[in-house]
Amino acid sequence: MGRSRRSIPEELLLLALDPTTGTTAQPQSLDLGLAGAQLVELALAGRIAPDGDRIAVVVPRPTGDPTLDCALELLRRRGAPVRAVNWIGGPRLGLRQTYLSHLERCGMVHAVAGQMCGVLPTTRYQATDTAISREIKARLDSAIRTGVPPDPRTAALAALAHAVGLGKHLYPGNEGRSSRSRLRDLIRHDPMGGLVAHAVMDVQNGVAAQPRRSPAPAGRSAGAGVRSAPEPARGVPMQPRHSSMARAVAH
């Protein structure tokens, strides 16, 4: 898989990064969203495919992206299709940090060392080129404004952004209400993105142990079965880092 374009996990993380505070919005649900975004990226690369509410590996060949290939190998080792909700709800320790570190190595963000309460070391991240984040959001804005079905990558990104609760981060206040609603509605334009987004919301709502219900009968409105993401929280500082990645970066 070529590296000429950004992956969906990378774009989701850039959307969540607050350019003012250097923190990520919705950090807990974002971890789930990144795990889901990996599934979408692997599906777009032709390595996995949905099987009902499960994910099946169809081509185990590596993509060339080390982080995605790690996820692909873990899926392959399962030996049988795995429920998306169980995969996303599984332990994903350090996934957000892995992608932040990757974006730093690629020069898209830089780390700024600091302290919480004057004692605990923290690291915030600032985008080195805010035009990249603006371009990503512009794709969502265009899909929302025009109503034209977006390409699968943009549709999946919109579905995940809604699922992790980024709506109020991207389109705040009462004036953003209609945009948040349209962002939610974009979930229907990509089956894989929709499956993964619903799985992310299921995990957050604590229903991972139960199979998903059958699709709504024909005749129901397109948006009737679309759940809303949990109420977003304001961005919070990144968790203290205690690994070798906790080095200070002078700026």
Side-chain angles (χ1 to χ4, degrees):
M1 177 179 162
R3 300 297 299 147
S4 59
R5 64 182 176 189
R6 296 175 298 271
S7 69
I8 294 176
E10 292 164 4
E11 293 197 329
L12 183 66
L13 187 51
L14 286 170
L15 278 179
L17 193 62
D18 190 307
T20 302
T21 65
T23 61
T24 52
Q26 299 297 94
Q28 286 75 33
S29 56
L30 183 60
D31 289 341
L32 302 176
L34 290 172
Q38 288 186 314
L39 294 181
V40 176
E41 193 66 48
L42 286 170
L44 289 172
R47 301 313 196 264
I48 64 174
D51 181 6
D53 67 346
R54 296 174 182 270
I55 303 297
V57 175
V58 293
V59 177
R61 185 176 69 253
T63 66
D65 180 316
T67 309
L68 288 177
D69 289 340
C70 178
L72 179 62
E73 176 61 16
L74 290 174
L75 285 166
R76 186 193 66 79
R77 289 178 184 176
R78 294 291 185 97
V82 58
R83 289 181 64 209
V85 70
N86 289 342
W87 172 262
I88 291 169
R92 292 290 178 274
L93 296 177
L95 188 57
R96 179 163 32 109
Q97 185 57 54
T98 295
Y99 274 106
L100 281 168
S101 299
H102 169 73
L103 291 177
E104 184 183 7
R105 289 193 301 272
C106 292
M108 283 190 264
V109 302
H110 67 268
V112 180
Q115 290 184 328
M116 181 185 298
C117 302
V119 179
L120 298 175
T122 63
T123 303
R124 297 171 184 267
Y125 290 85
Q126 299 288 344
T128 56
D129 185 357
T130 56
I132 295 176
S133 297
R134 289 197 301 270
E135 181 273 325
I136 297 169
K137 185 172 180 293
R139 287 174 20 224
L140 297 184
D141 292 343
S142 177
I144 287 172
R145 183 179 62 256
T146 65
V148 176
D151 63 274
R153 300 184 71 83
T154 301
L157 180 63
L160 287 161
H162 166 71
V164 302
L166 290 183
K168 287 190 176 181
H169 170 70
L170 299 172
Y171 305 104
N174 289 332
E175 65 275 15
R177 183 175 299 174
S178 62
S179 293
R180 294 195 298 270
S181 177
R182 294 190 188 106
L183 179 71
R184 176 201 65 199
D185 291 342
L186 291 175
I187 200 170
R188 71 182 184 272
H189 289 295
D190 180 63
M192 185 65 181
L195 169 65
V196 169
H198 280 301
V200 169
M201 290 184 280
D202 279 347
V203 173
Q204 293 179 84
N205 293 330
V207 295
Q210 302 177 7
R212 281 187 52 76
R213 292 177 294 181
S214 300
R220 284 187 64 180
S221 62
V226 178
R227 292 184 297 281
S228 294
E231 183 70 15
R234 304 301 298 172
V236 297
M238 295 290 298
Q239 295 179 351
R241 302 165 68 193
H242 301 288
S243 67
S244 59
M245 288 301 299
R247 55 181 171 74
V249 177
H251 294 282

Coordinates of all heavy atoms in Angstrom, one line a residue, residues 31-32 35 38 74-75 78 86-96:
D31 N -9.7 6.6 20.7 CA -8.9 5.3 20.6 C -9.8 4.2 19.9 O -9.2 3.5 19.1 CB -8.6 4.9 22.0 CG -7.5 5.7 22.7 OD1 -6.8 6.4 21.9 OD2 -7.4 5.7 23.9
L32 N -11.1 4.2 20.2 CA -11.9 3.2 19.6 C -12.0 3.5 18.1 O -12.0 2.7 17.2 CB -13.3 3.2 20.2 CG -13.4 2.9 21.7 CD1 -14.8 3.1 22.2 CD2 -12.9 1.5 22.0
A35 N -9.1 2.4 16.1 CA -9.1 0.9 15.8 C -10.1 0.6 14.7 O -9.8 -0.2 13.8 CB -9.5 0.2 17.1
Q38 N -8.7 1.7 11.3 CA -7.8 0.7 10.7 C -8.5 -0.3 9.9 O -8.1 -0.8 8.8 CB -7.0 0.0 11.8 CG -5.9 0.9 12.4 CD -5.1 0.1 13.4 OE1 -5.6 -0.6 14.3 NE2 -3.8 0.3 13.3
L74 N -3.0 -9.6 13.4 CA -3.8 -10.0 14.6 C -5.1 -10.6 14.1 O -5.6 -11.6 14.7 CB -4.0 -8.8 15.5 CG -2.7 -8.4 16.3 CD1 -3.0 -7.1 17.1 CD2 -2.2 -9.4 17.2
L75 N -5.7 -10.0 13.1 CA -7.0 -10.5 12.6 C -6.8 -11.9 12.0 O -7.6 -12.8 12.1 CB -7.5 -9.5 11.6 CG -8.2 -8.2 12.1 CD1 -8.4 -7.2 11.0 CD2 -9.5 -8.5 12.8
R78 N -6.7 -14.8 14.3 CA -8.0 -15.2 14.9 C -8.5 -16.5 14.2 O -9.2 -17.3 14.9 CB -9.0 -14.1 14.8 CG -8.7 -12.9 15.6 CD -8.8 -13.1 17.1 NE -8.6 -11.9 17.9 CZ -9.6 -11.1 18.3 NH1 -10.9 -11.5 18.1 NH2 -9.4 -10.1 19.0
N86 N -16.4 -6.6 18.9 CA -15.4 -7.2 19.8 C -14.0 -6.8 19.4 O -13.2 -6.6 20.3 CB -15.5 -8.7 19.7 CG -16.8 -9.2 20.3 OD1 -17.5 -8.5 21.1 ND2 -17.2 -10.4 19.9
W87 N -13.7 -6.6 18.2 CA -12.4 -6.2 17.8 C -12.1 -4.8 18.3 O -11.1 -4.5 18.9 CB -12.2 -6.3 16.3 CG -10.9 -5.7 15.8 CD1 -10.8 -4.4 15.2 CD2 -9.6 -6.3 15.8 NE1 -9.5 -4.2 14.9 CE2 -8.7 -5.3 15.2 CE3 -9.2 -7.5 16.2 CZ2 -7.4 -5.6 15.1 CZ3 -7.8 -7.7 16.1 CH2 -6.9 -6.8 15.5
I88 N -13.0 -3.9 18.0 CA -12.9 -2.5 18.4 C -12.9 -2.3 19.9 O -12.1 -1.5 20.4 CB -14.0 -1.6 17.7 CG1 -13.8 -1.6 16.2 CG2 -14.0 -0.2 18.3 CD1 -14.9 -1.0 15.4
G89 N -13.6 -3.1 20.6 CA -13.7 -3.0 22.0 C -12.5 -3.7 22.7 O -12.4 -3.6 24.0
G90 N -11.7 -4.4 22.0 CA -10.5 -5.0 22.6 C -9.5 -4.0 23.1 O -9.5 -2.8 22.7
P91 N -8.5 -4.5 23.8 CA -7.4 -3.6 24.3 C -6.6 -3.0 23.1 O -6.2 -3.7 22.2 CB -6.5 -4.5 25.2 CG -6.8 -5.9 24.7 CD -8.3 -5.9 24.2
R92 N -6.5 -1.7 23.1 CA -5.7 -1.0 22.1 C -4.8 0.0 22.7 O -4.7 1.2 22.4 CB -6.7 -0.2 21.1 CG -7.6 -1.1 20.3 CD -6.8 -1.9 19.2 NE -7.6 -2.8 18.4 CZ -7.9 -4.0 18.8 NH1 -7.4 -4.5 19.9 NH2 -8.7 -4.8 18.0
L93 N -4.0 -0.5 23.7 CA -3.2 0.4 24.4 C -2.1 1.1 23.5 O -1.4 0.4 22.8 CB -2.4 -0.4 25.5 CG -3.3 -1.0 26.6 CD1 -2.5 -1.9 27.6 CD2 -4.1 0.0 27.4
G94 N -2.1 2.4 23.6 CA -1.1 3.1 22.9 C -1.3 3.4 21.5 O -0.5 3.9 20.8
L95 N -2.5 3.1 20.9 CA -2.8 3.2 19.5 C -2.8 4.7 19.1 O -2.2 5.1 18.1 CB -4.1 2.6 19.1 CG -4.5 2.5 17.6 CD1 -3.4 1.8 16.9 CD2 -5.8 1.9 17.4
R96 N -3.4 5.5 20.0 CA -3.4 7.0 19.7 C -2.0 7.5 19.7 O -1.6 8.3 18.8 CB -4.3 7.7 20.7 CG -4.4 9.2 20.5 CD -5.6 9.8 21.3 NE -5.9 9.0 22.5 CZ -5.6 9.5 23.8 NH1 -5.1 10.7 23.9 NH2 -6.0 8.8 24.8

